[in-house]
Amino acid sequence: MKITGAKVIVCSPGRNFVTLKIVTDEGVYGIGDATLNGRELSVVSYLEDHVIPTLIGKDPHRIEDIWQFLYRGAYWRRGPVGMTAIAAVDVALWDIKAKVAKLPLYQLLGGRSRDKIMTYTHANGVCIDSTLDAVGKAIDDGYQAVRVQSGIPGLDSTYGVAKEGKKYEPADAALPGENVWSTQKYLNFAPKLFDAVRSQFGNDIHLLHDVHHRLTPIEAARLGKELEPFHLFWLEDAVVAENQDSFRLVREHTTTPLAVGEVFNSIHDCRSLIQNQYIDYIRATIVHAGGISQMRRIADFASLYHVKTGFHGATDLSPVCMGAALHFDYWVPNFGIQEQMPFSEEMESVFTFDYKFSRGFFTPGEAPGHGVDIDESLAKKYPYKRAMLPVNRLEDGTLWNW
């Protein structure tokens, strides 16, 4: 079997997605997600100009060799653009291999380790009362885990919280918008939010929260300590992780579990975090961290240090990535939880998938491969629209982490 062609499909059914399709001489094809939120066309260029020409004529079954060829052979290693492109190729090749074997992807990874996959959803509100309403709805829908975000008094906009009457979509403009942030207002407010949630819904529901890299280590340590009485499932992205030792200070001051990694691109981005047991959950994604092949290495390494997986699963990842992630979740022994934001009807008309969702849990389905496909003719009806993520400034105008 040989690879005879590959093409990139860009579409925007409500938001931009990049999909790679690899075709073989035996008519079997596989698809992978190559979406990099706000920088989609950079990956398209890398795939079309540098990656696809090198794939023609290769044996698609040699997944590991092709991964090493694209990683080691590029010289300029790592980075979000290159690793997203490698991930797209890797997932498409795993899709082909599983289809040829006539097996669902998780069987090739080693079979399932669980019967169903716990997921968490988002509950957002402009104030505590509306956030409580959103948490209650999620619980009524059967979720056992809920990420809680709320608007902060005194700030016009807050990460994770949509304008009233709209769904949250951060990449919402052709040029970056600007948000205003106050760490003081946030730190004073967050414990009140979780006190209200626990007071109304009790201790049986898992609660999660995303800081979005906005605190210094000592500020994050304070927040983690003050949230301890509310027993969070995790506190996500408490600080920026370029300096992995930043998490040491947080860890030393709080028992609140810590999660990080959705912006990571390789095992090297999280090696110290895992090896020093500074974190409890690794959130690196299949689409941005080099595909299934590298995520297996990260997960196996993490298991040695009691760190579990917690894949990013917002709508900036296409159903292709979600399908692959769920097969991985089904198999990986040190599974923690899977994030889920429901896709729109537009998105689900362009992509078909075999995975199933019911009252807070997923199963990946039994279709050969990862079970997700794209309707190319329908995708053409949704052309690319430039959409960028916003930037963040402190109240005095200083640029800050978004």
Side-chain angles (χ1 to χ4, degrees):
M1 180 180 281
K2 300 293 182 183
I3 296 172
T4 56
K7 63 179 176 179
V8 182
I9 304 160
V10 183
C11 62
S12 186
R15 63 143 3 266
N16 292 318
F17 291 124
V18 179
T19 305
L20 174 68
K21 183 175 184 178
I22 297 178
V23 181
T24 70
D25 57 355
E26 296 185 13
V28 182
Y29 66 87
I31 61 173
D33 185 12
T35 305
L36 183 61
N37 194 12
R39 296 292 186 268
E40 296 88 357
L41 298 186
S42 298
V43 185
V44 173
S45 175
Y46 191 77
L47 283 167
E48 292 182 339
D49 297 336
H50 303 286
V51 173
I52 289 175
T54 70
L55 296 177
I56 307 305
K58 282 186 165 54
D59 179 353
H61 287 304
R62 296 183 63 177
I63 298 174
E64 183 63 32
D65 184 67
I66 291 173
W67 195 97
Q68 296 294 338
F69 178 87
L70 295 175
Y71 180 80
R72 293 176 184 266
Y75 186 70
W76 306 106
R77 300 180 186 179
R78 302 161 63 187
V81 173
M83 295 306 286
T84 299
I86 291 174
V89 174
D90 187 76
V91 170
L93 295 180
W94 277 102
D95 192 27
I96 290 171
K97 183 178 283 286
K99 285 176 178 176
V100 171
K102 297 181 171 56
L103 289 171
L105 176 55
Y106 74 85
Q107 293 287 18
L108 271 65
L109 298 177
R112 62 186 174 90
S113 296
R114 56 200 44 83
D115 298 325
K116 55 186 179 179
I117 299 160
M118 185 168 73
T119 183
Y120 72 90
T121 190
H122 295 192
N124 311 323
V126 296
C127 62
I128 288 180
D129 287 344
S130 59
T131 302
L132 292 175
D133 290 342
V135 173
K137 183 181 183 306
I139 293 172
D140 290 343
D141 289 341
Y143 287 95
Q144 297 182 11
V146 183
R147 194 190 85 166
V148 180
Q149 310 288 141
S150 174
I152 300 168
L155 297 182
D156 290 337
S157 62
T158 305
Y159 165 76
V161 179
K163 300 293 185 182
E164 291 226 48
K166 296 183 179 180
K167 290 186 177 181
Y168 181 66
E169 172 52 67
D172 60 356
L175 294 174
E178 295 195 1
N179 296 332
V180 176
W181 175 254
S182 167
T183 297
Q184 179 184 10
K185 290 182 174 68
Y186 167 71
L187 288 175
N188 290 336
F189 173 74
K192 299 175 185 176
L193 169 65
F194 283 93
D195 183 42
V197 175
R198 282 294 184 214
S199 296
Q200 181 157 333
F201 299 106
N203 292 312
D204 290 339
I205 192 75
H206 296 301
L207 300 180
L208 304 87
H209 182 65
D210 186 0
V211 182
H212 223 244
H213 314 107
R214 297 187 176 188
L215 301 180
T216 65
I218 197 64
E219 291 167 347
R222 168 190 161 183
L223 178 63
K225 193 170 185 63
E226 291 185 350
L227 293 181
E228 284 178 9
F230 311 116
H231 306 133
L232 267 62
F233 187 95
W234 77 35
L235 186 67
E236 177 186 344
D237 293 350
V239 299
V240 293
E242 283 91 338
N243 180 356
Q244 296 184 34
D245 281 341
S246 294
F247 276 79
R248 176 178 57 82
L249 183 61
V250 186
R251 172 64 94 198
E252 289 174 346
H253 286 81
T254 181
T255 59
T256 296
L258 303 174
V260 72
E262 69 184 64
V263 299
F264 291 174
N265 307 128
S266 81
I267 195 169
H268 304 292
D269 295 323
C270 54
R271 186 175 63 234
S272 294
L273 289 168
I274 292 171
Q275 193 166 12
N276 292 310
Q277 300 182 82
Y278 293 159
I279 62 172
D280 303 277
Y281 296 90
I282 180 64
R283 289 188 31 79
T285 66
I286 285 173
V287 70
H288 296 144
I292 292 169
S293 295
Q294 186 174 220
M295 276 309 309
R296 292 181 77 178
R297 298 184 181 104
I298 293 174
D300 283 341
F301 178 59
S303 71
L304 301 178
Y305 299 96
H306 313 288
V307 175
K308 297 181 179 180
T309 64
F311 282 161
H312 178 61
T315 49
D316 60 334
L317 311 181
S318 88
V320 179
C321 183
M322 178 60 80
L326 292 173
H327 281 270
F328 194 99
D329 293 337
Y330 223 31
W331 157 75
V332 68
N334 51 322
F335 170 76
I337 200 167
Q338 171 67 55
E339 181 180 20
Q340 182 230 7
M341 289 180 67
F343 292 113
S344 68
E345 291 183 5
E346 281 182 317
M347 296 180 197
E348 293 187 351
S349 68
V350 172
F351 295 91
T352 59
F353 49 89
D354 194 50
Y355 56 78
K356 303 291 191 302
F357 176 80
S358 177
R359 296 193 64 77
F361 290 87
F362 271 116
T363 51
E366 295 297 316
H370 54 52
V372 185
D373 207 343
I374 185 170
D375 185 329
E376 295 184 55
S377 61
L378 189 54
K380 293 178 181 178
K381 297 181 180 180
Y382 299 99
Y384 169 82
K385 298 177 182 178
R386 188 172 69 183
M388 295 190 183
L389 297 167
V391 298
N392 212 30
R393 293 186 183 275
L394 301 180
E395 290 179 298
D396 67 358
T398 303
L399 197 69
W400 198 239
N401 303 308
W402 184 82

